[in-house]
């Protein structure tokens, strides 16, 4: 059995800012609903077979998952909200070995810092890394490839192979 793993980091879609609503509870804006759907379309075309999703408990990340229409087992993790990069990597390290493709839906700045921190293995796309270092917009996806078990994923151990901003159909 191959030890090849795919990690996809998705920043939540564009959120709304309703008055009196706490940050954790902000829903998606109309643009975000559309772009989350575009992110889901991209995932179905470019990363079929997502085995598991780790998702922040924030309303906007949950809405992003729902609008993307990804049909995979989901773990909603409160620690992914306002997380440090090490917290995100620690959650990934807990994923079971039978998961080959993992989607993590979270927030900035953690998504870009995790993508850039894990990147560095042979096959890393430097143009994608540079784009992420400039900006990781809402509804963006970083695609990484890693060898070995999730529990061994660490800084510099994955190849950043692509970056996609889900904005147009």
């Amino acid at each position: 059995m191959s030890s090849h793993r795919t990690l996809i980091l998705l920043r939540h879609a564009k959120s709304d800012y309703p008055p009196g609503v706490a940050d954790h509870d902000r829903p998606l804006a109309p643009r975000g609903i559309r772009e989350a759907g575009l992110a889901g379309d991209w995932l179905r075309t470019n990363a079929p077979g997502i085995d598991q999703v780790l998702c922040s408990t924030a309303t906007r990340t949950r809405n992003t998952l729902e609008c993307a229409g990804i049909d995979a087992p989901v773990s909603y993790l409160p620690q992914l909200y306002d997380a440090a990069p090490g917290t995100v990597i620690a959650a990934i390290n807990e994923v079971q070995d039978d998961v080959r493709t993992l989607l993590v839906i979270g927030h900035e700045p953690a998504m870009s810092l995790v993508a850039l921190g894990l990147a560095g293995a042979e096959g890393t796309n430097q143009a994608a890394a540079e784009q992420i270092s400039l900006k990781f917009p809402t509804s963006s996806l970083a695609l990484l490839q890693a060898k070995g078990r999730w529990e061994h994923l660490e800084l510099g151990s994955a190849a950043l192979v692509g970056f996609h901003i889900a904005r147009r159909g």
Side-chain angles (χ1 to χ4, degrees), residues 91-149:
I92 295 167
N93 290 153
E94 296 293 320
V95 172
Q96 297 299 308
D97 285 333
D98 60 342
V99 172
R100 293 287 170 217
T101 302
L102 176 66
L103 173 63
V104 178
I105 305 175
H107 310 266
E108 270 296 280
M111 294 294 95
S112 61
L113 293 173
V114 170
L116 295 172
L118 292 175
E122 184 178 341
T124 290
N125 179 326
Q126 292 303 322
E130 187 170 316
Q131 192 176 5
I132 290 170
S133 72
L134 294 174
K135 187 166 186 175
F136 199 114
T138 53
S139 302
S140 294
L141 303 112
L143 185 63
L144 297 105
Q145 301 286 331
K147 294 180 180 170
R149 301 161 72 111

Side-chain angles (χ1 to χ4, degrees), residues 18-157:
V21 174
D23 183 73
H24 186 275
D25 301 327
R26 288 190 295 122
L28 293 183
R31 184 183 109 192
I33 293 168
R34 182 179 57 80
E35 291 174 354
L38 293 173
D41 292 344
W42 187 90
L43 285 166
R44 279 183 288 286
T45 300
N46 297 282
I50 293 172
D51 298 310
Q52 184 176 352
V53 179
L54 303 181
C55 185
S56 160
T57 55
T59 300
R60 59 191 176 274
T61 53
R62 296 170 79 99
N63 290 164
T64 298
L65 176 60
E66 179 183 332
C67 292
I70 300 304
D71 184 25
V74 182
S75 296
Y76 294 101
L77 304 177
Q79 67 266 34
L80 293 182
Y81 174 72
D82 200 23
T87 302
V88 177
I89 294 170
I92 295 167
N93 290 153
E94 296 293 320
V95 172
Q96 297 299 308
D97 285 333
D98 60 342
V99 172
R100 293 287 170 217
T101 302
L102 176 66
L103 173 63
V104 178
I105 305 175
H107 310 266
E108 270 296 280
M111 294 294 95
S112 61
L113 293 173
V114 170
L116 295 172
L118 292 175
E122 184 178 341
T124 290
N125 179 326
Q126 292 303 322
E130 187 170 316
Q131 192 176 5
I132 290 170
S133 72
L134 294 174
K135 187 166 186 175
F136 199 114
T138 53
S139 302
S140 294
L141 303 112
L143 185 63
L144 297 105
Q145 301 286 331
K147 294 180 180 170
R149 301 161 72 111
W150 292 114
E151 67 183 338
H152 297 140
L153 189 67
E154 60 185 20
L155 296 177
S157 69

